Amino acid sequence: MVKTPRGRSAVSSIYRHLDLIVEPTIADLQKDQLSVRKTFTACLVTFHAIDRFAEKPGNLRKEWRDQSQAFALIDLIAHTFKHVDAEGGKEPKPGRIPWKAAMPGAMGLNTHALNESGPDVRQIFFLVNEAAKFIRRKADQLALASERD
């Protein structure tokens, strides 16, 4: 098991992930906002920045979801795409969003979390960008705290 870095090395790891993975992936999405692959990838890599903050990020995930609606939504989108039943035609599991509802198409990207029609896939760019800004602010806070230590 890989240990999560602590102190200054944690801050360095977080900034490195944001600089090398998250922000370039969001920039790719900005150029092609209708791409399902780029939308999913941007949500996934942005959400998983949390892994650089805590070895077991469960409590932090809940805290961040409460603090940032954008983070909560990219978490929902990333995990909806990741944990779908690709068989199609099956009834969705309770508490899960059906695969067809999560796919862009005539209905847009319907998460059932926002409203009946859900956000259009192009709107996800703005959500993921806002979530990345939120995570960068969290990294800045951690950097300040580690400087004091």
Side-chain angles (χ1 to χ4, degrees), residues 56-68:
K56 294 184 178 183
N59 290 336
L60 186 59
R61 179 182 180 191
K62 181 182 179 334
E63 182 182 316
W64 284 13
R65 287 172 63 118
D66 291 343
Q67 292 175 3
S68 170

Side-chain angles (χ1 to χ4, degrees), residues 70-129:
F71 181 82
L73 289 169
I74 63 126
D75 178 1
L76 174 71
I77 293 165
H79 286 89
T80 297
F81 275 95
K82 182 179 171 189
H83 297 288
V84 295
D85 178 357
E87 294 297 315
K90 290 186 177 179
E91 289 297 315
K93 296 177 183 172
R96 295 284 173 95
I97 297 168
W99 172 247
K100 289 179 184 175
M103 288 301 296
M107 298 186 304
L109 184 70
N110 188 350
T111 64
H112 297 282
L114 300 175
N115 58 42
E116 189 55 32
S117 60
D120 184 280
V121 72
R122 291 168 292 199
Q123 295 171 324
I124 303 305
F125 164 74
F126 297 101
L127 287 173
V128 76
N129 197 38

Side-chain angles (χ1 to χ4, degrees), residues 5 19 21 27-28 33 38-39 41 46-47 62 70 73 91 102 126 131 139-140 145 149:
D19 294 342
I21 306 297
D28 288 344
Q33 294 180 29
K38 290 176 183 176
T39 299
T41 304
T46 303
F47 169 77
K62 181 182 179 334
L73 289 169
E91 289 297 315
F126 297 101
D140 293 343
D149 292 342

